[in-house]
Amino acid sequence: MSATLSGAAAGRSDACGGGWLGRVDPRVRIVAATAFAVVVVACDALPVLALALLPALALLAASGLPPGPTLRRMAAMDSFILFILVLLPFTVPGEPIFTIWGFQASHEGLAQAVRIALTANAAILALMALVGTMEPVTLGHALHRLRVPATLVHLLMFTVRYIDVLREEYLRLRQAMKARGFRPATDRHTYRSIGFLLGMMLVRAMERSERILGAMKCRGFTGQIPLVAEMRVGAADIAFATGFAAVLAGLLAAELALAAV
Amino acid sequence: MHIVDGALSNPVVIAGAVLGAAGVARGLRDLPMEKIPAAGVLSATFFVASLVHVPIGPSSVHLIMNGLAGLVLGWAAFPALFVGLLLQAVFFGFGGITVLGVNTFNIAAPAVIVWWLCGRQVQRCSPRTAAIWAGIGGALAIALTTLFVALALRLTGEAFLPAAKLVFLAHIPIMVIEGLLSAAAVYLAKQVKPELFGNVAEAAS
């Protein structure tokens, strides 16, 4: 439905996601992704965190997402986070392992940077495999069933619905600017022009939303949007949830065992 | 400015989740069903704006525009920006899931602060004066976001302090750019459709 968002999960073959994971109940997948992230964040031991990448990779294989682009997406972080990770070995005091330009890198700092990188990658990979394969609309319905407030779910649905429309509008405006000789550079003219572009998009968005509300009222909108999606937890979902819980328990047990040593 | 899972200490993550949830709940209170289409379409606009890259020297940066979001949405900026961050995490792999609360707070709290400080002036003044206030607000929002990110890192550990300082300094050009863009956007919007400011945000005052 949303090309901008599903472009992210390029290669998604059908509404449920390509792999068998797509047939697991969406609510179970959302809860599983959250539980996995919490467990991984709670773990500290490096071997356990490395081990946690395995279930995340298994989920990726089962999700039907294209492995290459998804792994690239997983590894991509904001430059400021990368920057912090690179600096950590030099700012955490501890046993020195190597020196660059007179700056000492500590073993502890390096370990912490690796720990953060492993945690972040495992958690986000599991999230993309479990939840990113859903249709955004299914995500909204599942969140509603998980008792997320209806207003927030509606806001999510509207946002998802109009991201593509507005992106196309943005590209149209950009093309019109290009046709008139606009070339982005580092100058005031560029920033002013892009600012005007954003202002124009806001104005058009507002006017569009007025038309939408009018059309909704015209069709008998009374302030309630019914969310109807049938979701049933079946035997396969319970099996998946049990297996996944066992994996999480295993990770926690390994963490505790290593912490005790 | 997406912090990732595992970077922050547990107390910071939990505090962020509580503050983020409180902000979202406060924002939802100002959103009767009638305002949802406007808030949703504007939320989508800011999502698209965050995909826009503007050149800066040989490189480029992507926009945040949380100051502008605050001026247009008021408290509703919290749920709107939360939705954006959720979609980015799930479908693009930006940021993380346990840090969703912290990230929401870092982006949306400055939006609300800017709306408090500059919202009235932007709503009432002439396009030119409103643009100046929006410029200040746009730059201030990025400054506050960077500051909150730095603070979250600093509360996690002493070792993050040098990196946090450098991140703040590296964002000064971005503050200028976002300020200029916000000013231009508001200048145009005030002339074309002045009621844009105060349509959704008004309900919040």
Side-chain angles (χ1 to χ4, degrees):
Chain A
M1 176 178 164
S2 173
T4 310
L5 293 177
S6 50
R12 185 164 59 187
S13 50
D14 60 78
C16 308
W20 60 263
L21 201 56
R23 287 190 291 279
V24 174
D25 186 277
R27 290 166 296 174
V28 174
R29 280 148 72 190
I30 293 173
V31 174
T34 314
F36 184 75
V38 170
V39 167
V40 176
V41 169
C43 289
D44 262 338
L46 284 178
V48 177
L49 291 175
L51 200 66
L53 273 176
L54 290 180
L57 286 169
L59 289 172
L60 171 65
S63 70
L65 286 175
T70 312
L71 288 175
R72 261 200 301 282
R73 236 165 234 286
M74 170 197 84
M77 290 182 192
D78 281 20
S79 49
F80 93 97
I81 289 283
L82 288 178
F83 179 71
I84 286 166
L85 291 186
V86 171
L87 271 189
L88 262 184
F90 303 98
T91 53
V92 176
E95 201 185 315
I97 38 171
F98 62 89
T99 318
I100 298 176
W101 300 320
F103 292 104
Q104 269 186 352
S106 74
H107 186 265
E108 285 78 357
L110 189 63
Q112 196 177 350
V114 172
R115 199 175 289 135
I116 294 174
L118 286 173
T119 309
N121 284 330
I124 206 72
L125 183 57
L127 179 69
M128 282 195 288
L130 282 164
V131 187
T133 43
M134 272 178 218
E135 271 295 329
V137 176
T138 315
L139 173 64
H141 282 291
L143 286 175
H144 180 63
R145 290 301 165 96
L146 289 169
R147 302 183 182 264
V148 170
T151 323
L152 189 57
V153 173
H154 290 312
L155 186 63
L156 176 85
M157 303 281 233
F158 263 101
T159 307
V160 165
R161 167 70 181 77
Y162 285 99
I163 282 175
D164 270 339
V165 176
L166 290 166
R167 187 168 154 77
E168 267 164 33
E169 189 152 284
Y170 163 72
L171 293 173
R172 250 193 326 270
L173 286 166
R174 256 331 257 268
Q175 196 167 25
M177 287 166 81
K178 201 176 171 189
R180 285 158 183 78
F182 173 71
R183 273 191 167 197
T186 308
D187 55 20
R188 250 193 98 126
H189 173 70
T190 300
Y191 298 141
R192 215 172 51 146
S193 304
I194 295 181
F196 283 166
L197 166 68
L198 292 177
M200 199 61 220
M201 283 188 63
L202 285 177
V203 168
R204 289 189 176 189
M206 203 55 168
E207 285 175 347
R208 186 185 292 276
S209 80
E210 284 160 9
R211 292 196 299 275
I212 295 165
L213 187 63
M216 283 166 69
K217 282 184 171 165
C218 181
R219 286 160 182 78
F221 174 63
T222 53
Q224 276 286 311
I225 308 171
L227 286 167
V228 279
E230 254 186 69
M231 289 183 193
R232 254 189 220 106
V233 175
D237 301 324
I238 294 173
F240 172 78
T242 316
F244 199 73
V247 170
L248 294 185
L251 286 176
L252 283 177
E255 166 75 18
L256 289 176
L258 281 175
V261 173
Chain B
M1 304 294 281
H2 302 81
I3 298 178
V4 297
D5 282 320
L8 300 176
S9 67
N10 292 342
V12 177
V13 168
I14 293 166
V18 170
L19 288 172
V24 169
R26 175 67 183 81
L28 289 177
R29 248 182 41 201
D30 290 338
L31 281 180
M33 236 356 138
E34 290 262 308
K35 301 259 180 202
I36 290 283
V41 177
L42 291 169
S43 164
T45 312
F46 286 106
F47 188 94
V48 172
S50 75
L51 301 173
V52 175
H53 282 252
V54 296
I56 170 164
S59 170
S60 73
V61 288
H62 79 88
L63 300 176
I64 304 180
M65 299 316 273
N66 52 341
L68 194 57
L71 291 174
V72 176
L73 290 164
W75 269 106
F78 248 103
L81 295 170
F82 167 77
V83 163
L85 286 169
L86 177 69
L87 293 174
Q88 284 180 342
V90 169
F91 295 103
F92 295 159
F94 293 160
I97 178 161
T98 58
V99 283
L100 212 46
V102 179
N103 283 338
T104 304
F105 182 83
N106 288 346
I107 305 265
V112 174
I113 293 172
V114 163
W115 170 69
W116 264 339
L117 295 177
C118 313
R120 193 174 299 269
Q121 288 84 341
V122 168
Q123 213 176 53
R124 302 223 175 118
C125 296
S126 67
R128 194 166 292 274
T129 323
I132 293 169
W133 280 104
I136 296 169
L140 180 68
I142 300 300
L144 287 172
T145 294
T146 321
L147 203 67
F148 287 165
V149 169
L151 197 67
L153 291 168
R154 172 64 191 79
L155 288 174
T156 291
E158 195 79 45
F160 288 104
L161 192 59
K165 277 183 188 158
L166 285 170
V167 167
F168 187 83
L169 290 178
H171 275 80
I172 289 174
I174 300 177
M175 290 168 207
V176 174
I177 290 176
E178 293 245 349
L180 287 173
L181 288 175
S182 304
V186 165
Y187 184 69
L188 182 127
K190 280 292 281 188
Q191 284 180 328
V192 182
K193 196 173 174 68
E195 66 270 31
L196 177 67
F197 305 95
N199 198 330
V200 178
E202 187 63 321
S205 56

